Amino acid sequence: MTATDLPERKTYLRQQKAEHQRNVLGVFPAVYPREVLWSLNILPVEIWDPPLQAGRSAAHLPPNTCDVACRGLELILQGHCDDLDGFLFPHTCDSIQNLASIVNDYLGTGKPCFFFHPPRGSNSKAAGLFYRRQLESLASAVRQHFGGPFDAGVLSASVAMGQAIDAAICEIYELRGQDRLRVDNAEFYEILRAGEYLHPNETLPLLKKLTEKTGSVDHRKTPVVLSGVLPSPPAFLRLLDDLDLRIAADDFMNCSRRLQVPPDPIEDPFTALTERYFRMPVCPTRQSTTLQRMQRLIALVGSTRAAGVIFSVLPFCDPELFDLPPLVAELEKRGIRTLVVEAGLNRQLSGQVAVRVEAFAEMIGSGLQ
Amino acid sequence: MKDLGAPLLSIVDGRRAASRRIRGPQPHFGPPLRCNARLKKLLTRHYFMSRYAEGARPVAWVTSGAPVELLRVFDFYTVYPENHGALCGAKRMGTELCAAAERQGYSRELCAYARIDLGHHFTGKTPAGRLPRPDLLFACNNICQTVVYWFRSLAHYWDIPLVLVDTPFNFETPSDLQNQYVAAQLEETIPVLERVSAQRFDLGRLQHVIGLAKDTAALWGEVLDTLKARPAPMTIFDAFAHLAPIVSLRGLAVTRTYYRMLLEELRERVDRGIGALTVERKRLMWDNIAIWFKARELAGLFAERGLNFVTATYTNAWAETGAMIEPQRPFESLAKAYSRIILNNNLKGRLQLMERLIEDFGVDGLVMHSARSCKPYSIGQYDLKRALTDHLQIPSVIVEADIADARAYSDKQVATQLGLFFEALEHRDVPRR
């Protein structure tokens, strides 16, 4: 399987249900214990940016709601979730929180809703214990609803699978940072993001195949670091490709911020998952400080020799918008060029965004290196 | 629980001034509360003293829903940035400070209180004269997740510790697991508070403070209950202002004394049939934070139609959860009480609360403020409105505005929205009893 023959999402879900008797959970952003679901033969399918025209969600959400929440609700309201057997709402932000309550309390979808609270504070004893017990509680609730036994061995295998996936993605990022990966931005993220709906049995070979696409690159592109919620829309990534900008590293909420580096050996699967959570890179929706985010971005720029940082901002995304000014100020102070764009999630990129990115590419000397 | 404007004295002043101004041909307001002057004195003293707290006492900036009782044990002087935001909004300084934050790169889409606070950080401007620089930031995300990002920004700029009490949202019935997590966090904060304040923790003192807070919450509940009377002895706009001490000065003896006096005065007004309005034709409920820069104008607009706001969704929050506090089980009961406030509850819980308030207070109509600044309060209001219309056939309106940024307010749009509401309200034949 490659990027060109990735299965269409709906067809794939139906196939998973039919062939593997898997239940499918629609999972809203951002962090959740996928391994627990895998171990219970449940396929998590993440809902970030479905390509839909907004319409019916406006009857439920005020105009100051972020596009991720709007599109998620739109997906449900337009009847595209019929194949899902339930929803999982991690408590990520105020918008997802109230969206979850609307779905659970008012929409009457007839599907079960599960919830998960990623602790916001530091890795304290209380937070660690709470996280671990939540894992057990979620496993129990899901099992109770869908049936099937819990098997610690199967969970350990799922954790190992998750670690293998994380390790493969880390290797891919490393290759990408060294400019040894022969795929463009659009294809790179298409493959990475396939893990949002593929079963790990399919994700891992796909990633392995990507690591084989290495070699010297004929045409050097200007490396940049991207930060934000998610690498979307594809038109934005294609624009960067057209401008010879290579995303050498990212700080996206739904990509590198969810990776565990490096993995721990698995003694107890719940402990391993708890440690995984607290060892993920910093994210404002979880435990992090502004300084830690700065340090991470500076490190990414340094390790990839990026010529600048592009912040791809989603309107009304509070966690990202609060961090933005000090991050931009510090990077600029260090002589690192920055660009803040509101690319949005619309399929069509606005002319204004395109012009600003073009100007930035020119400024950092894209194509001249 | 958001904001609860301590320094909303300007609103009180405004009500009194408006009352004085219009007590000519069309006196819509009843006599002002005697306690207004006492409230002003109490809060002015609090803000005045805060100027001298820096260096003399440990200072903490606190979110409105945080368990401040813990800080009292260590003698922290507490300042509430949300109060300050409300004050700036009421004094019409909000837009200026928001713009100052925006010039530093903060998006106009962010909470106006946060932008005001950051604008104050960048400019030093405040209608309160001067705010003391904190030694500690104390936040609890039971009111919103925004306070987490906002207080992190402050912690970054000032390089001071931030203590965050993480209260999982009640998507369902709160579990023991959630409660134990919050209680354990409260216990974990003790060493940090000891270090910053250079004082030792005293369990007996915490129990004493908690006892005061519990008593005060009960008194506040009784204060609000007086609004069930017809005519109601004060409006909810008054209540927004008189709520300030229980938020800003919770756990102090002076606050309990204050509410005893307020309750006495309100009961006296009820006995004598003195209403907040000279004519109370219909009774309304307010949902969400006030539009501070328009509060005075809106109070007058409703009063001249004989429409009195007798309840609001958040004013009773401390009364409700205060009863859960048990001095003998300080950490567990604080965790329980602070995890169950309105904004930490799912929409079904909010609907039940609203239905109960509508019944208890004999409400005829509902005004919902969709505040651009406040996502947790505003997202879900459309569904709540529909559910209330279905269940209770009650006229309601959603007013799109903001808490403190006047640029998000359109006079024309609000006039249109309210015009239709007034019409619907008049066509509602049978007043609720």
Side-chain angles (χ1 to χ4, degrees), chain A residues 287-309:
Chain A
Q287 76 282 7
S288 84
T289 65
T290 313
L291 182 65
Q292 287 170 330
R293 277 203 73 191
M294 262 175 204
Q295 289 168 338
R296 177 158 192 262
L297 275 175
I298 290 163
L300 288 175
V301 170
S303 64
T304 59
R305 298 182 178 182
V309 177

Side-chain angles (χ1 to χ4, degrees), chain A residues 68-79:
Chain A
V68 169
C70 290
R71 282 168 190 267
L73 183 58
E74 203 66 52
L75 194 76
I76 297 171
L77 295 171
Q78 291 187 20

Side-chain angles (χ1 to χ4, degrees), chain A residues 185 219-224 238-247 306-308 310 337 356-369:
Chain A
N185 297 316
H219 177 61
R220 293 276 167 201
K221 294 183 174 183
T222 304
V224 290
R238 285 195 294 272
L239 172 70
L240 300 183
D241 282 322
D242 292 345
L243 294 168
D244 280 348
L245 293 174
R246 171 174 57 89
I247 304 173
I310 298 176
R337 305 280 196 178
R356 294 193 60 216
V357 179
E358 281 166 20
F360 183 73
E362 249 179 60
M363 185 175 72
I364 62 173
S366 176
L368 301 176
Q369 292 187 358

Side-chain angles (χ1 to χ4, degrees), chain B residues 378-410:
Chain B
S378 304
I379 297 178
Q381 281 179 317
Y382 298 167
D383 288 278
L384 286 170
K385 183 179 185 293
R386 272 192 291 271
L388 286 168
T389 305
D390 287 350
H391 298 180
L392 303 173
Q393 292 79 45
I394 189 168
S396 58
V397 63
I398 292 182
V399 174
E400 286 170 8
D402 190 56
I403 53 181
D405 186 346
R407 291 169 297 179
Y409 188 91
S410 161

Side-chain angles (χ1 to χ4, degrees), chain B residues 1-17 33 35-44 46-47 64 80-93 113 116 127-128 220 235-245 247-248 258-259 286 288-296 299 314-315 403-404:
Chain B
M1 277 308 305
K2 248 186 146 180
D3 89 27
L4 315 170
L8 296 173
L9 301 164
S10 58
I11 302 293
V12 174
D13 277 352
R15 272 270 285 108
R16 293 173 67 189
L33 292 164
C35 272
N36 284 351
R38 188 165 292 273
L39 175 69
K40 183 172 182 178
K41 197 173 163 187
L42 183 68
L43 296 178
T44 303
H46 171 63
Y47 268 83
S64 65
Y80 285 76
E82 291 156 70
N83 281 185
H84 180 245
L87 170 67
C88 293
K91 293 283 187 186
R92 300 186 183 233
M93 203 172 167
Y113 284 169
I116 285 171
W220 175 244
T235 76
I236 213 65
F237 289 108
D238 296 317
F240 287 164
H242 289 278
L243 178 62
V247 177
S248 302
Y258 173 74
Y259 284 114
W286 179 274
N288 211 327
I289 302 166
I291 307 168
W292 294 120
F293 53 90
K294 285 283 176 184
R296 191 183 307 174
Y314 73 66
T315 43
I403 53 181

Side-chain angles (χ1 to χ4, degrees), chain B residues 14-63:
Chain B
R15 272 270 285 108
R16 293 173 67 189
S19 176
R20 280 196 297 272
R21 277 196 301 275
I22 57 182
R23 197 171 297 133
Q26 283 190 320
H28 306 299
F29 291 104
L33 292 164
R34 291 194 303 273
C35 272
N36 284 351
R38 188 165 292 273
L39 175 69
K40 183 172 182 178
K41 197 173 163 187
L42 183 68
L43 296 178
T44 303
R45 183 173 176 276
H46 171 63
Y47 268 83
F48 182 74
M49 295 278 284
S50 77
R51 297 182 199 179
Y52 302 98
E54 202 175 315
R57 283 172 64 179
V59 175
W61 283 24
V62 188
T63 61

Side-chain angles (χ1 to χ4, degrees), chain A residues 84-106:
Chain A
L84 301 182
D85 300 296
F87 298 102
L88 172 62
F89 293 94
H91 187 200
T92 301
C93 61
D94 291 321
S95 297
I96 298 290
Q97 166 193 296
N98 281 27
L99 166 69
S101 195
I102 289 172
V103 174
N104 189 46
D105 295 331
Y106 291 116

